[in-house]
Amino acid sequence: MLTGSCHCGAVRVEVPRRPRALTDCNCSICRRYGVLWAYYAADTVRILCADDALDAYSWGTKELRFLRCATCGCMIAWVASEPREGGRVGINARNLDPAAIRTAKIRRLDGADTWKYLE
Ligand SMILES: [Zn+2]
């Protein structure tokens, strides 16, 4: 298990293992957040915080909720608005220990247009 936290420490994240690959997406929201996504099965990740510690943002079809720390603003994760069995979550690997993601491959996703990886 690997843990991470936002800058102020109000939100902690537990993931089951180091990410092997990280996604750098160029869609309209990810490019602004500047995050690196690590994907996990939703039931393997825990987001630990007080009930009021997260703010959420949804847009477009509102299928996803982007969760950020309400105190320091760090992007934590995207989660499904209506979670289903076998679903995934995207965890912002920028909040993990840099040493734990140093060797992960960074894949550039063209989420803005073709929704394909660029390499
Ligand atoms: Zn915080």
Side-chain angles (χ1 to χ4, degrees):
M1 193 183 65
L2 184 65
T3 63
S5 75
C6 65
H7 189 260
C8 76
V11 182
R12 290 192 302 124
V13 180
E14 290 181 357
V15 297
R17 56 172 167 72
R18 291 178 182 223
R20 295 179 194 96
L22 302 172
T23 292
D24 175 3
C25 176
N26 67 0
C27 84
S28 62
I29 190 162
C30 292
R31 69 182 173 86
R32 289 181 165 88
Y33 286 148
V35 302
L36 290 173
W37 297 118
Y39 303 126
Y40 295 97
D43 61 2
T44 66
V45 167
R46 292 206 302 163
I47 297 174
L48 304 165
C49 61
D51 287 344
D52 59 353
L54 290 169
D55 282 338
Y57 176 67
S58 293
W59 67 290
T61 58
K62 298 194 175 0
E63 289 170 28
L64 300 180
R65 300 174 74 225
F66 291 85
L67 305 177
R68 65 185 180 276
C69 173
T71 301
C72 67
C74 290
M75 177 54 49
I76 303 295
W78 62 254
V79 300
S81 298
E82 295 177 19
R84 56 181 172 74
E85 200 156 338
R88 291 195 310 169
V89 294
I91 298 297
N92 180 12
R94 297 280 193 195
N95 295 316
L96 301 176
D97 179 355
I101 62 169
R102 192 171 47 211
T103 58
K105 178 180 166 68
I106 295 177
R107 304 187 70 202
R108 299 182 61 191
L109 178 64
D110 184 24
D113 187 18
T114 63
W115 205 247
K116 291 187 171 132
Y117 283 98
L118 293 169
E119 78 288 329

